Amino acid sequence: YESAGLIIGLPESLVQNVVLENINITAATTGLEIRNAGGVQLKNVKVNSKEGEPFILENAEVEGLAEAAGIR
């Protein structure tokens, strides 16, 4: 799998309180997929994907996403 990565919980059991800090990922295909997660924090995280958006979210609460996506 050549994506930036996966953080995937279950709808009835969310992945909770994950902190990614000081990370720079260049993906051969798609971005970082975060699904069924709460309390995810991105601190100084950059994701570059060759296909599509750098972050793919579904049912996810993510702090620091705007900064990680380069939105100021």
Side-chain angles (χ1 to χ4, degrees):
Y1 205 6
E2 297 177 342
S3 72
L6 304 168
I7 299 174
I8 300 178
L10 300 171
E12 65 277 6
S13 181
L14 303 181
V15 172
Q16 292 285 339
N17 304 322
V18 175
V19 178
L20 300 178
E21 189 168 4
N22 298 324
I23 297 174
N24 188 353
I25 301 172
T26 299
T29 58
T30 59
L32 177 61
E33 184 175 349
I34 305 173
R35 294 181 13 205
N36 300 316
V40 176
Q41 295 180 40
L42 306 177
K43 299 177 179 181
N44 192 31
V45 173
K46 300 292 180 221
V47 175
N48 297 302
S49 61
K50 293 189 179 184
E51 298 175 16
E53 297 296 321
F55 297 95
I56 302 152
L57 307 178
E58 180 183 319
N59 188 30
E61 176 190 306
V62 181
E63 181 182 320
L65 186 62
E67 294 83 5
I71 301 168
R72 302 284 173 196

